Amino acid sequence: INTLKDPDKYYFTQCFQNTVLVWIPCIYLWVCFPVYFLYLRCHDRGYIQMSNLNKAKTALGLILWIVCWADLFYSFWERSQNIFQAPFFLVRPTVLGITMLLATFLIQYERIKGVQSSGVMTIFWLISLLCAIVVFRSKIIHALNTVSDLDAFRYATFCIYFVLLFVQLILCCFPERPPLFSETVNDPVSVQFILSAGYCMLMVQGYRRPLEAKDLWSLNKEDKSEEIVPGLARNWAKDTKAQVTQPLLRGPSVIKPAFVRTNSSLHRLLINFVNNKAAPNWQGYFYTGLLFVCACLQTLILHQYFHICFVTGMRLKTAIVGVIYRKALVITNSARKTSTVGEIVNLMSVDAQRFMDLATYINMIWSAPLQVILALYLLWQNLGPSVLAGVAVMILLVPINAVMAMKTKTYQVAQMKSKDNRIKLMNEILNGIKVLKLYAWELAFREKVLEIRQKELKVLKKSAYLAAMATFTWVCAPFLVALSTFAVYVTIDKKNVLDAQKAFVSLALFNILRFPLNMLPMVISSIVEASVSLKRLRVFLSHEELDPDSIIRGPITEGEFLFLLKISMSELCTLYFSINFTVPEGSLVAVVGQVGCGKSSLLSALLGEMDKKEGYVVVKGSVAYVPQQAWVQNATLEDNVIFGREMNESRYKRVIEACALLPDIEILPTGDKTEIGEKGVNLSGGQKQRVSLARAVYCNADVYLFDDPLSAVDAHVGKHIFEKVIGPKGILKNKTRVLVTHAINYLPQMDTILVMSDGEISEMGSYQELLKQDGAFAEFLRTYANAEQSMENSGNRDTGKTQHQSSTAELQKPLAEKNSWKLTEADTAKTGRVKATVYWDYMKAIGLFISFLSIFLFMCNHIASLASNYWLSLWTDDPVINGTQQYTNVRLGVYGALGISQGLLVKNKSSFLGIAVFGYSMVVSIGGIFASRHLHLNLLHNVLRSPMSFFERTPSGNLVNRFSKEIDTIDSTIPPIIKMFMGSTFNVIGACIIILLATPIAAVIIPPLGLVYLLVQRFYVATSRQLKRLESVSRSPVYSHFNETLLGVSVIRAFEEQKRFIKQNDVKVDENQKAYYPSIVANRWLAVRLEYVGNCIVLFAALFAVTARNKLSAGLVGLSVSYSLQITAYLNWLVRMSSELETNIVAVERVKEYAEMEKEAEWSIEQTAPASTWPKEGKVEFRGYGLRYREDLDLVLKNINVTINGGEKIGIVGRTGAGKSSLTLGLFRINEAAEGEIIIDGINIAKIGLHDLRFKITIIPQDPILFSGSLRMNLDPFDQHSDEDIWRSLELAHLKNFVSSLPDKLNHECAEGGENLSVGQRQLVCLARALLRKSKILVLDEATAAVDLETDKLIQSTIKSQFEECTVLTIAHRLNTIMDYTRVLVLDRGEVVECGSPDHLLQEKGIFYSMAKDSGLV
């Protein structure tokens, strides 16, 4: 091989060209073929129809085969003419021809198996073309030199062959059309996809107009939840830790060190070439070309690897979210108490993200040390044993980094704990926001959140100091290594000359060292974070699960149902149920008893939700369950009723009619297609309960468990439901029904009555039997029967507009079209560029002084860095005299001083620059913390100041998303990105300056390349930013759905609908990943293009150095090329960071979004604040008062003129939707008046602050909501009252005995939403709150619906005695409770139709009379 001796001869000998260069592509294809063929057989993606593209590829393949074999037949013909050529003239065309046939076969086979773009074939055509180029060049040179003995035929066939190869390669870059019958669209995991048109189309689309969800590709089958999650679940069950990270340890990161080696060798050859003035020019060009090719190959392979890593990370996240969701459906109630909603949401958002981040870098664990070893080996070749000094420095730094990593881990755990608590609290605040507003408790809860946030920020601050220390060590590490090595090298021997080759090749190697050394701490901290997350995940996934066998579910056979229970439950205190009872099939059983005696727990036991200690429970057939607090999904009313079953029109109509939903459906804006808000915000309590009932009735089960569904509906409706649904003549007459109730008047119709007290069944039998036994039950009946024998359902609240009311439940239809009506607003994505104001807001949040200080410190740091390297180039150009250099010590000293000044304080001129690195790192981190404190405070304040209508419209998922993910981004993602962004910016500027200094002609090329960069970046960011927004927006439904599932998990389990909910969750997660997947590809797309531009910079820097080598010193060439080698990385990083910054600053934009929302009126207004004793009398006047819910809706209340004198007791009654609750909402200014005014003791309430008003009026709301925290906090969050006051109020609320029996008394921890108290007990806690406040005006909104008759009687007497002086407004549901009130207001369709004393109204025989008649009072 006469390779590089003489450029005028061929590159390689004829023999080499016709054997090795022909065989390389052939060997590649034949080696790949068996593996690839098997892969295609197993991964069938559907069938692609023949397209013109495919026909062209096939035709070209066949022509290539014909061309090769034309050569073969030509050789045979020559032999027949007795011209004997070398044997390879026969072998070459034979092998090539067969390979071309194989390639053609693969083209067709890929089409049949649905491959749209093939990496294997692209690489084959690329290698073939590269090998052919060499032959082509030598053929041309040969032809130019010797015209006479030209082999014309072979020359012509080769030219045709070369052109065809080129065309094939180009055709290969276009993807095929999508396969038929397949869900896979564009599988972009091949190198050439990243180069290909498929992604460019999306990019162009994204640049022209903001992308929307419909533009995204559907996910590949192997990336979907249903494929991935079961795998992780199986592996998790087998073994916990190894499996999570198993799929990550693979991929071509081995290749990177190989390129490190090649690049540094080429660098050395290039510097030698510049030094050696005698070397021929072509050598310089050759090295330059090789440098470029190496760089390009490295780019391709590295990004293929990164793509695989990112996709793996994405799959990991999908798997984790899916596994958590599946687990949440099966954990026991006691386990639910230990893992709060906040914690689980954080597991899904923050922790899953940590695993995703780890996936990208996990391979660095072994490839970084490999790169370090390689670089050290090359350094040893260059500088000899002096390298050991550098190694010593590196070893010294390892323990420092290790200590930091350990500290980081402890901080991480603490921070996650605070974050969980904060999200949990936020969740509760959002769930109970109505109550907070009615009680004016926003400030108390804001303080609670900020207290937790303060702890979180304290930990963040410590982490920031650590991060600054770490950055400092990383930045100084490569430099200290270089300094110590050079110092030792020049001082151990005077003959050691630091020339350009040694200095700059070493410097390039030290820079290579910088990457793994920087990455290792990052990877270690990433592993640390992931291990913290893994531990949290493990704790959650190893929670106890409900035992599916705790209930024996038998099939239906004739005979009887048997429930035999012996159950211990650990709710408040351990209640031992020791219960034996059987229920015959098809009978109707009532369960009665006082508040807290275990009625609901009995039903839970039948559902298998309790912890069974002994005994057994047999339930035959399927079960339907109606919980006490109705659970409604955020879906249409129809979907809520059908609940995933088949639609059966006639049955559906019957159910709707029986459950008294027809009038409500008429009221709703779009009938039964109306969307119901989260937690049913736009339905009244009664409507929600009836929807919940309809869901159970529709599903046609064998056993029905009703947990007091009649307490939430008014007398008339309750009667209707009992007759049409539950009772002996109802739809369910042949089913087995267990009804928990407080209503006496239905008891005579029951087959069996169970009387419970303290978790035991005290009596059992039919109504008549129990009366005969003359026990406690008979006594109880006698007390109440006189008053209520005929009185309707004791528990009957009027479904009247409860407080949970919003526009929908009104009779008026919105003016808008019926179909356009939508209640909840989905999370929306903004479009276009992130506005400059967002950055400005962020800078203001940091503080402008700090912002500019950090920029200044960055500049100082980089100026010092450039100066030190420039100094090195001057040093290497020092003349060598007698084999030594002069001034070695001065040079070394200044070099050290300049370098160290980047990092730490030195007592010389550059001492000012000393604090640069440490300084900027500190400043940015601390600034970031200021910003996140400020932004979180604003967000919290703005959300709390929003009016009630905002919460009814906004799904809680959106808000939780803001408080968890977006705040997490602002806390821990944005500051490091800013650091890296600034660093890269100055690095790029510095590198350009050095290249320009060395080779001024580069000024011609740098601006155009810079422009290309800018264009690519703008082009990319348009798409990437929008993808990030879409991803953010599609994340909210995942959280909303999850929250909803947790609230209704007992219903979902009772109906056995887990599979359907899991599927829904998978679909939502996949929707989210659908937006994330293209953004991975976008990153790769960008990186490949940028690195090619960067590689061009290397090419030109080297080319200019070669052309101008006579004018240049070797030192400057070394400096210029070593900087240009780095510039690719810098530029890449710069564009990556600028787009990361822009995509992540979206978090700030989304947090700021809520600052611009409409707000409630001021909380307190100094000028108009009423006297502290107001209201003295408690006189309330409504003057021409009217109210509407939204601008576009009709009035709900109109023209109300009523004067209520101080101390009067007023009952407010009316049918569903009459506007009873609207009146109270107006009184508390939850909704502002549309016309008229309300005057309390001479003050117009619209003129004073909301808190001034709400503190002075007390309400006992319909939905008793408690917050997690002590019982004391729930009664008195502002700590205004003494313990005696609190005990006194508990005594009056009949809770004293219960609370004193608790181990912690007042400090008893209430669970989230007060889950560990029964509904009746929560209602009594609300009563105690009212007794503590003791204000002049008291509003009762159907407040005693969930308590039994005895307790109700006690409550009524408490209210009469304690609030004797006060004005009491009661929205009545049990009419008998208001029969002794001063006056009754009857509302109908938003107007007062009757007003007067109860007796007077009964004589008038109007609406009130007919209601009393329904209730059996007349």
Side-chain angles (χ1 to χ4, degrees):
I1 297 180
N2 52 7
T3 28
L4 310 173
K5 303 288 184 295
D6 178 4
D8 298 332
K9 291 275 188 296
Y10 334 125
Y11 269 3
F12 301 102
T13 60
Q14 276 288 316
C15 176
F16 184 82
Q17 287 177 19
N18 280 317
T19 52
V20 179
L21 290 184
V22 172
W23 295 340
I24 288 173
C26 299
I27 291 169
Y28 162 78
L29 194 63
W30 285 97
V31 168
C32 289
F33 173 68
V35 184
Y36 189 49
F37 182 73
L38 275 175
Y39 171 80
L40 287 179
R41 278 202 61 166
C42 303
H43 293 72
D44 191 349
R45 296 164 184 210
Y47 172 88
I48 299 180
Q49 288 178 308
M50 262 295 211
S51 61
N52 290 336
L53 177 65
N54 199 274
K55 286 176 190 162
K57 285 185 194 171
T58 313
L60 286 178
L62 291 171
I63 296 171
L64 276 165
W65 165 66
I66 293 168
V67 169
C68 294
W69 280 27
D71 266 6
L72 178 66
F73 292 123
Y74 182 66
S75 298
F76 284 135
W77 177 80
E78 279 184 328
R79 295 204 156 210
S80 67
Q81 302 300 318
N82 289 336
I83 308 169
F84 289 96
Q85 296 273 21
F88 63 63
F89 282 111
L90 282 175
V91 178
R92 189 189 79 104
T94 312
V95 175
L96 257 187
I98 295 172
T99 308
M100 289 304 159
L101 274 180
L102 176 68
T104 313
F105 165 73
L106 276 177
I107 289 171
Q108 279 306 313
Y109 195 63
E110 283 178 340
R111 176 182 71 79
I112 293 165
K113 291 294 180 187
V115 177
Q116 289 175 269
S117 53
S118 157
V120 174
M121 294 308 292
T122 310
I123 293 172
F124 169 69
W125 297 121
L126 182 68
I127 298 175
S128 303
L129 188 71
L130 289 176
C131 292
I133 288 174
V134 179
V135 183
F136 193 56
R137 179 189 178 278
S138 67
K139 280 206 186 293
I140 289 173
I141 293 173
H142 184 97
L144 292 176
N145 292 350
T146 54
V147 182
S148 51
D149 64 337
L150 195 65
D151 186 344
F153 182 80
R154 286 200 176 87
Y155 190 81
T157 53
F158 184 78
C159 288
I160 296 169
Y161 169 78
F162 183 74
V163 171
L164 289 176
L165 278 184
F166 184 66
V167 177
Q168 272 286 30
L169 180 64
I170 289 176
L171 288 183
C172 231
C173 291
F174 293 100
E176 288 283 352
R177 59 174 69 164
L180 301 171
F181 327 116
S182 156
E183 303 203 341
T184 314
V185 180
N186 274 348
D187 165 27
V189 193
S190 66
V191 173
Q192 127 260 355
F193 176 78
I194 293 170
L195 299 172
S196 83
Y199 192 71
C200 292
M201 298 309 293
L202 188 74
M203 284 301 218
V204 171
Q205 224 172 5
Y207 187 68
R208 288 196 185 134
R209 63 171 173 75
L211 286 175
E212 293 164 32
K214 61 173 191 292
D215 302 325
L216 305 174
W217 312 305
S218 61
L219 279 179
N220 297 330
K221 190 158 185 279
E222 59 267 27
D223 292 334
K224 289 196 171 170
S225 298
E226 57 197 35
E227 289 286 314
I228 298 170
V229 182
L232 177 66
R234 271 198 310 277
N235 285 336
W236 187 274
K238 269 189 270 177
D239 165 54
T240 316
K241 202 157 189 169
Q243 305 293 344
V244 177
T245 48
Q246 189 187 15
L248 309 183
L249 295 165
R250 57 163 199 232
S253 55
V254 190
I255 310 215
K256 188 164 184 187
F259 284 111
V260 169
R261 166 86 209 249
T262 333
N263 282 347
S264 62
S265 313
L266 288 169
H267 196 176
R268 175 157 65 249
L269 287 169
L270 197 61
I271 293 176
N272 281 346
F273 163 77
V274 174
N275 269 341
N276 173 9
K277 303 294 178 203
N281 271 350
W282 66 266
Q283 267 187 20
Y285 296 126
F286 178 65
Y287 295 145
T288 305
L290 266 184
L291 206 65
F292 180 66
V293 171
C294 272
C296 291
L297 273 175
Q298 181 182 354
T299 299
L300 274 184
I301 291 170
L302 199 65
H303 290 296
Q304 177 66 21
Y305 157 68
F306 271 133
H307 183 82
I308 293 170
C309 280
F310 273 112
V311 172
T312 309
M314 175 182 92
R315 288 179 187 170
L316 202 56
K317 184 177 175 180
T318 303
I320 287 169
V321 172
V323 167
I324 290 171
Y325 186 83
R326 284 158 174 75
K327 180 74 180 182
L329 283 174
V330 294
I331 57 175
T332 60
N333 289 337
S334 50
R336 268 284 301 283
K337 303 237 172 357
T338 51
S339 283
T340 59
V341 178
E343 210 170 303
I344 302 174
V345 169
N346 268 346
L347 277 176
M348 292 175 89
S349 58
V350 182
D351 294 317
Q353 190 67 40
R354 299 261 190 276
F355 282 109
M356 210 154 148
D357 299 341
L358 178 66
T360 332
Y361 300 119
I362 184 97
N363 286 305
M364 291 301 295
I365 282 293
W366 57 269
S367 83
L370 192 67
Q371 289 179 41
V372 172
I373 292 165
L374 234 163
L376 288 175
Y377 165 71
L378 294 170
L379 278 167
W380 184 285
Q381 285 188 334
N382 213 4
L383 298 174
S386 326
V387 175
L388 293 175
V391 176
V393 173
M394 275 157 62
I395 291 171
L396 268 175
L397 289 171
V398 170
I400 299 177
N401 275 337
V403 170
M404 287 186 192
M406 291 318 295
K407 287 303 282 177
T408 311
K409 176 166 184 171
T410 49
Y411 291 152
Q412 177 88 31
V413 176
Q415 189 197 339
M416 287 308 290
K417 200 170 153 71
S418 302
K419 189 174 259 118
D420 285 347
N421 291 337
R422 181 167 58 81
I423 300 299
K424 169 187 160 191
L425 185 59
M426 279 316 302
N427 237 333
E428 290 196 56
I429 288 176
L430 298 173
N431 285 344
I433 189 78
K434 183 82 151 253
V435 174
L436 288 192
K437 292 204 173 297
L438 291 170
Y439 286 127
W441 279 359
E442 295 101 330
L443 288 169
F445 277 83
R446 194 180 88 168
E447 287 318 304
K448 283 185 70 175
V449 175
L450 292 180
E451 198 180 307
I452 300 176
R453 179 73 177 150
Q454 200 44 47
K455 284 185 201 154
E456 203 180 334
L457 289 174
K458 218 170 172 173
V459 176
L460 263 179
K461 200 174 266 176
K462 288 180 187 164
S463 306
Y465 293 134
L466 261 186
M469 284 295 297
T471 309
F472 172 71
T473 48
W474 304 341
V475 172
C476 294
F479 174 75
L480 290 173
V481 174
L483 179 67
S484 52
T485 309
F486 288 157
V488 171
Y489 182 71
V490 295
T491 47
I492 50 176
D493 186 355
K494 284 275 181 261
K495 292 275 182 283
N496 278 352
V497 173
L498 195 63
D499 59 6
Q501 180 205 322
K502 284 202 171 57
F504 287 107
V505 171
S506 307
L507 207 62
L509 287 167
F510 285 134
N511 279 329
I512 286 166
L513 267 183
R514 180 179 285 204
F515 179 72
L517 284 185
N518 275 357
M519 286 305 295
L520 264 180
M522 202 171 122
V523 173
I524 289 167
S525 74
S526 175
I527 287 178
V528 165
E529 285 179 355
S531 71
V532 172
S533 293
L534 185 65
K535 194 167 155 211
R536 286 160 52 87
L537 192 63
R538 211 166 44 220
V539 167
F540 178 70
L541 291 182
S542 49
H543 275 327
E544 252 185 294
E545 299 187 3
L546 284 177
D547 176 13
D549 306 328
S550 65
I551 298 187
I552 303 161
R553 288 253 170 127
I556 285 272
T557 51
E558 285 309 309
E560 45 180 45
F561 275 83
L562 174 74
F563 297 132
L564 174 70
L565 293 154
K566 210 165 193 169
I567 287 170
S568 134
M569 46 173 285
S570 48
E571 292 269 314
L572 286 176
C573 38
T574 313
L575 296 176
Y576 282 101
F577 286 174
S578 168
I579 287 181
N580 297 293
F581 72 101
T582 56
V583 179
E585 191 176 328
S587 63
L588 172 57
V589 180
V591 182
V592 296
Q594 286 195 333
V595 167
C597 70
K599 300 185 296 294
S600 300
S601 306
L602 178 70
L603 294 192
S604 296
L606 294 180
L607 289 169
E609 298 271 323
M610 289 282 180
D611 204 347
K612 187 178 74 170
K613 290 286 180 251
E614 50 185 308
Y616 61 100
V617 185
V618 183
V619 177
K620 288 189 182 155
S622 55
V623 175
Y625 171 57
V626 181
Q628 188 166 6
Q629 283 188 305
W631 172 73
V632 183
Q633 272 185 289
N634 182 0
T636 64
L637 190 134
E638 182 184 302
D639 292 343
N640 264 296
V641 173
I642 291 175
F643 204 55
R645 302 286 194 283
E646 287 286 305
M647 177 60 168
N648 173 339
E649 279 293 334
S650 58
R651 179 172 181 77
Y652 176 70
K653 287 202 173 92
R654 232 172 52 241
V655 170
I656 292 289
E657 201 274 324
C659 294
L661 278 168
L662 281 174
D664 303 293
I665 287 178
E666 282 166 22
I667 293 171
L668 294 173
T670 53
D672 61 1
K673 297 284 188 286
T674 304
E675 184 202 3
I676 294 170
E678 259 191 66
K679 298 194 275 301
V681 288
N682 49 337
L683 295 181
S684 69
Q687 287 167 328
K688 280 195 295 194
Q689 195 57 295
R690 295 203 297 277
V691 169
S692 169
L693 186 68
R695 175 197 303 143
V697 178
Y698 184 82
C699 87
N700 198 11
D702 303 312
V703 181
Y704 281 83
L705 306 177
F706 298 107
D707 196 349
D708 203 7
L710 299 173
S711 65
V713 294
D714 57 40
H716 173 70
V717 176
K719 195 166 158 190
H720 173 95
I721 287 176
F722 189 79
E723 282 170 9
K724 292 280 200 279
V725 181
I726 303 170
K729 297 197 183 65
I731 293 190
L732 305 177
K733 57 178 181 287
N734 301 325
K735 310 282 187 187
T736 308
R737 292 140 295 164
V738 179
L739 171 70
V740 170
T741 184
H742 291 147
I744 295 179
N745 51 331
Y746 300 136
L747 296 182
Q749 305 182 41
M750 300 290 171
D751 299 334
T752 316
I753 299 170
L754 299 181
V755 185
M756 295 194 70
S757 65
D758 298 335
E760 300 267 336
I761 294 184
S762 58
E763 296 177 74
M764 178 173 170
S766 70
Y767 186 74
Q768 298 305 328
E769 284 165 16
L770 290 180
L771 282 180
K772 281 189 194 120
Q773 282 175 21
D774 207 20
F777 178 71
E779 179 61 34
F780 167 79
L781 275 181
R782 274 198 288 280
T783 323
Y784 287 97
N786 334 340
E788 313 213 5
Q789 180 58 49
S790 55
M791 205 273 309
E792 160 38 30
N793 187 353
S794 60
N796 279 352
R797 326 184 185 170
D798 183 301
T799 19
K801 294 297 317 145
T802 69
Q803 282 198 310
H804 252 331
Q805 176 204 40
S806 93
S807 49
T808 14
E810 291 319 311
L811 285 159
Q812 295 75 9
K813 294 273 194 291
L815 310 173
E817 297 296 288
K818 256 198 163 194
N819 308 338
S820 65
W821 195 85
K822 190 103 175 69
L823 174 79
T824 44
E825 296 174 352
D827 215 349
T828 47
K830 295 203 166 179
T831 51
R833 291 189 61 169
V834 175
K835 296 190 184 67
T837 52
V838 176
Y839 294 99
W840 184 242
D841 282 334
Y842 188 71
M843 278 176 77
K844 279 195 299 202
I846 293 179
L848 295 180
F849 171 70
I850 293 187
S851 304
F852 290 116
L853 176 67
S854 59
I855 294 174
F856 177 68
L857 289 171
F858 262 107
M859 280 174 63
C860 299
N861 166 41
H862 285 281
I863 290 167
S865 155
L866 287 178
S868 66
N869 285 340
Y870 189 62
W871 184 260
L872 186 65
S873 86
L874 295 178
W875 177 3
T876 58
D877 289 338
D878 276 356
V880 179
I881 302 164
N882 304 330
T884 65
Q885 279 174 315
Q886 311 294 309
Y887 321 122
T888 305
N889 291 348
V890 179
R891 293 286 194 195
L892 190 60
V894 175
Y895 180 60
L898 281 169
I900 293 177
S901 65
Q902 297 170 55
L904 72 178
L905 211 54
V906 179
K907 297 276 181 283
N908 72 350
K909 286 196 281 290
S910 55
S911 65
F912 168 66
L913 301 178
I915 34 176
V917 170
F918 188 66
Y920 80 67
S921 190
M922 271 312 304
V923 166
V924 172
S925 303
I926 297 300
I929 290 173
F930 285 160
S932 56
R933 166 182 293 143
H934 179 76
L935 290 166
H936 175 264
L937 184 68
N938 270 359
L939 173 67
L940 181 62
H941 186 73
N942 287 325
V943 165
L944 290 176
R945 280 286 318 278
S946 302
M948 209 45 230
S949 54
F950 166 77
F951 295 98
E952 287 171 355
R953 280 200 314 269
T954 313
S956 59
N958 297 9
L959 291 161
V960 172
N961 195 357
R962 297 289 192 280
F963 280 102
S964 67
K965 192 79 179 82
E966 316 294 0
I967 291 286
D968 181 55
T969 303
I970 293 170
D971 284 348
S972 43
T973 314
I974 294 181
I977 286 179
I978 289 179
K979 252 185 267 187
M980 293 192 253
F981 172 69
M982 307 264 277
S984 327
T985 310
F986 287 112
N987 276 335
V988 169
I989 295 169
C992 289
I993 292 172
I994 290 281
I995 293 174
L996 287 172
L997 276 176
T999 49
I1001 189 175
V1004 179
I1005 199 73
I1006 282 181
L1009 282 177
L1011 194 68
V1012 171
Y1013 249 84
L1014 223 113
L1015 286 174
V1016 167
Q1017 197 259 2
R1018 286 263 46 94
F1019 195 65
Y1020 158 80
V1021 165
T1023 305
S1024 134
R1025 184 185 52 225
Q1026 204 53 28
L1027 286 172
K1028 178 84 177 177
R1029 283 175 175 153
L1030 287 173
E1031 194 259 336
S1032 237
V1033 165
S1034 60
R1035 204 184 315 114
S1036 292
V1038 177
Y1039 295 157
S1040 286
H1041 180 247
F1042 189 70
N1043 259 336
E1044 194 171 78
T1045 306
L1046 285 180
L1047 288 171
V1049 72
S1050 54
V1051 178
I1052 295 170
R1053 291 199 283 234
F1055 284 89
E1056 296 184 325
E1057 284 288 316
Q1058 293 97 319
K1059 281 207 178 71
R1060 184 166 64 91
F1061 275 80
I1062 287 174
K1063 197 167 163 52
Q1064 281 179 6
N1065 179 62
D1066 286 353
V1067 167
K1068 289 181 162 57
V1069 172
D1070 289 346
E1071 277 302 306
N1072 184 16
Q1073 298 297 33
K1074 214 163 94 171
Y1076 177 71
Y1077 187 72
S1079 69
I1080 300 178
V1081 184
N1083 269 336
R1084 302 280 69 80
W1085 181 92
L1086 171 80
V1088 170
R1089 275 151 187 76
L1090 289 192
E1091 288 198 11
Y1092 275 130
V1093 179
N1095 296 341
C1096 292
I1097 295 180
V1098 177
L1099 178 72
F1100 288 116
L1103 267 181
F1104 293 142
V1106 171
T1107 48
R1109 65 179 172 149
N1110 299 327
K1111 309 186 197 76
L1112 289 180
S1113 69
L1116 270 178
V1117 170
L1119 190 63
S1120 153
V1121 173
S1122 79
Y1123 262 102
S1124 74
L1125 274 173
Q1126 278 175 287
I1127 202 169
T1128 320
Y1130 288 154
L1131 271 172
N1132 226 336
W1133 207 228
L1134 174 63
V1135 172
R1136 165 89 9 98
M1137 282 307 130
S1138 62
S1139 46
E1140 278 283 295
L1141 186 61
E1142 190 165 352
T1143 45
N1144 280 301
I1145 207 91
V1146 170
V1148 177
E1149 177 184 64
R1150 285 166 65 83
V1151 166
K1152 297 291 286 183
E1153 206 179 307
Y1154 285 152
E1156 283 101 54
M1157 296 284 183
E1158 50 163 344
K1159 298 283 169 287
E1160 289 187 302
E1162 286 302 317
W1163 278 342
S1164 56
I1165 304 171
E1166 289 286 312
Q1167 299 79 14
T1168 60
S1172 58
T1173 53
W1174 176 86
K1176 272 192 175 145
E1177 187 187 347
K1179 180 180 180 185
V1180 183
E1181 295 175 67
F1182 290 87
R1183 297 182 181 167
Y1185 186 76
L1187 176 78
R1188 63 161 56 100
Y1189 281 104
R1190 282 207 314 235
E1191 290 304 310
D1192 54 351
L1193 298 175
D1194 296 346
L1195 290 173
V1196 184
L1197 294 175
K1198 33 192 182 283
N1199 195 22
I1200 295 205
N1201 291 294
V1202 178
T1203 302
I1204 298 167
N1205 297 315
E1208 273 198 299
K1209 308 286 180 279
I1210 301 288
I1212 302 172
V1213 298
R1215 290 269 152 90
T1216 297
K1220 301 185 297 297
S1221 290
S1222 309
L1223 207 57
T1224 55
L1225 296 184
L1227 192 59
F1228 281 88
R1229 284 176 61 200
I1230 294 287
N1231 292 74
E1232 298 289 351
E1235 56 188 40
E1237 55 191 12
I1238 299 178
I1239 310 285
I1240 296 181
D1241 280 9
I1243 292 184
N1244 181 351
I1245 62 168
K1247 300 278 190 288
I1248 59 176
L1250 289 177
H1251 281 185
D1252 296 335
L1253 167 69
R1254 290 172 188 169
F1255 269 129
K1256 302 292 185 179
I1257 316 178
T1258 306
I1259 185 165
I1260 303 180
Q1262 179 180 3
D1263 292 339
I1265 289 185
L1266 301 190
F1267 298 95
S1268 61
S1270 67
L1271 197 56
R1272 195 200 152 99
M1273 190 282 307
N1274 269 299
L1275 292 166
D1276 177 28
F1278 288 100
D1279 275 337
Q1280 292 166 330
H1281 302 278
S1282 66
D1283 278 10
E1284 289 80 65
D1285 293 347
I1286 291 180
W1287 277 111
R1288 189 175 142 59
S1289 71
L1290 285 173
E1291 186 178 0
L1292 293 168
H1294 310 288
L1295 274 174
K1296 187 173 181 180
N1297 298 345
F1298 168 69
V1299 177
S1300 5
S1301 72
L1302 296 170
D1304 299 334
K1305 310 243 178 331
L1306 285 180
N1307 294 325
H1308 171 71
E1309 274 297 310
C1310 298
E1312 238 175 309
E1315 295 282 325
N1316 52 357
L1317 296 175
S1318 76
V1319 181
Q1321 285 163 334
R1322 282 181 247 169
Q1323 198 81 61
L1324 295 176
V1325 172
C1326 293
L1327 175 66
R1329 278 180 196 161
L1331 290 161
L1332 260 185
R1333 268 186 141 161
K1334 202 72 202 290
S1335 56
K1336 262 301 191 199
I1337 298 174
L1338 173 70
V1339 178
L1340 299 174
D1341 186 357
E1342 319 192 342
T1344 53
V1347 290
D1348 58 288
L1349 297 178
E1350 244 169 302
T1351 320
D1352 189 15
K1353 198 165 185 188
L1354 294 171
I1355 293 175
Q1356 294 297 344
S1357 64
T1358 306
I1359 290 173
K1360 285 192 182 90
S1361 59
Q1362 293 305 309
F1363 293 97
E1364 201 176 350
E1365 309 287 301
C1366 311
T1367 309
V1368 179
L1369 303 177
T1370 303
I1371 291 185
H1373 42 107
R1374 301 176 176 171
L1375 292 187
N1376 65 314
T1377 55
I1378 56 163
M1379 282 310 196
D1380 54 355
Y1381 275 28
T1382 343
R1383 278 191 293 166
V1384 175
L1385 289 184
V1386 184
L1387 291 177
D1388 189 41
R1389 306 214 165 195
E1391 299 184 63
V1392 178
V1393 284
E1394 298 175 17
C1395 177
S1397 68
D1399 299 338
H1400 172 69
L1401 291 181
L1402 285 176
Q1403 283 156 13
E1404 284 196 354
K1405 297 218 156 100
I1407 293 180
F1408 184 69
Y1409 173 78
S1410 68
M1411 289 176 78
K1413 196 168 168 193
D1414 276 344
S1415 304
L1417 288 175
V1418 189

